[in-house]
Amino acid sequence: GRYTWPGYGPRVVLFDFGVKWNILRLLYAEGFDLLVVPSSFTAADVSRLEPDALFLSPGPGDPATLTGFIHNLALMVDSFPVAGICLGHQLLGHALGGETFKLKFGHHGCNHPVKDLENSHIEISSQNHGFCVDVSRLDRVKTTHVNLNDGTLEGFAHRDKPIIAIQYHPEASPGPHDSRFFFTRFTKLVRQATGKTPIRRAN
């Protein structure tokens, strides 16, 4: 039967590849109604849930091996606003036609400088990944964040579709907290795409 969403905020299906509690807490604080589902959920399964948006969690492993999920995600990106973090960022890159490659030296730790090209701010970020996304051949995808240590991609957005993604961890706890704005950007993205305004909750 049809799933009954328990709250009144915009409905977000969150794909769990190893989601951290703080991601759920921060999205809840933004005013979203959340449903966490496994990566085995298909595009048809998601459609039956009638969500307003999708969110892809971080997680371990080589994103290129998750071919079944990438196929389903490619079917969903035309229908919903989508945001992805870390592995979610890499999977979105694949679903849009990009590729990933293994970094010679992975990014690990909580002191990586990242430049936000939208506003020229420098963030000190928390990172833990061994793969990088290459969207350089995709005309409709723009780079939004770059790593200042090695120049690699740290975030992208679609020029026409409500899709944003970052490679690092905005949910990092105890910190740094420079990148928490990502959840606010997702809120704005969903509001613009759906016309639904989340009511922020106490965090």
Side-chain angles (χ1 to χ4, degrees):
R2 180 170 294 179
Y3 176 74
T4 301
W5 293 81
Y8 299 98
R11 301 170 300 201
V12 174
V13 166
L14 187 148
F15 282 94
D16 180 8
F17 298 95
V19 68
K20 298 177 183 178
W21 168 251
N22 212 32
I23 292 174
L24 303 178
R25 187 174 67 84
L26 291 167
L27 287 171
Y28 178 81
E30 287 291 329
F32 291 110
D33 198 4
L34 302 173
L35 177 64
V36 179
V37 300
S39 61
S40 58
F41 259 54
T42 66
D45 293 330
V46 169
S47 181
R48 282 191 288 271
L49 294 169
E50 299 181 343
D52 295 305
L54 309 178
F55 201 98
L56 311 179
S57 89
D62 181 350
T65 64
L66 301 177
T67 53
F69 180 80
I70 291 168
H71 170 76
N72 272 292
L73 183 57
L75 298 176
M76 293 185 278
V77 292
D78 288 330
S79 302
F80 305 101
V82 190
I85 295 173
C86 197
L87 180 64
H89 163 268
Q90 296 164 1
L91 293 169
L92 268 171
H94 275 285
L96 293 171
E99 300 175 345
T100 51
F101 61 91
K102 190 169 179 59
L103 293 165
K104 183 175 182 180
F105 301 104
H107 297 166
H108 306 283
C110 57
N111 60 349
H112 291 260
V114 171
K115 185 173 183 178
D116 183 338
L117 302 181
E118 303 279 295
N119 55 26
S120 296
H121 288 173
I122 308 299
E123 304 163 34
I124 301 303
S125 67
S126 175
Q127 305 206 11
N128 187 27
H129 62 97
F131 293 87
C132 184
V133 178
D134 180 3
V135 292
S136 59
R137 291 182 290 180
L138 305 182
D139 293 338
R140 305 315 303 160
V141 175
K142 64 179 180 179
T143 297
T144 58
H145 297 78
V146 294
N147 188 301
L148 293 181
N149 286 336
D150 61 11
T152 55
L153 181 75
E154 292 281 3
F156 65 80
H158 200 280
R159 296 183 187 277
D160 308 313
K161 300 173 184 177
I163 298 171
I164 57 174
I166 54 174
Q167 178 61 74
Y168 48 101
H169 291 275
E171 81 287 355
S173 186
H177 297 158
D178 298 26
S179 310
R180 290 272 175 95
F181 74 89
F182 183 74
F183 297 96
T184 305
R185 282 190 178 173
F186 179 58
T187 301
K188 182 179 179 180
L189 194 78
V190 173
R191 183 171 62 244
Q192 291 175 339
T194 67
K196 296 185 178 182
T197 301
I199 299 174
R200 208 171 190 287
R201 304 179 177 103
N203 191 349

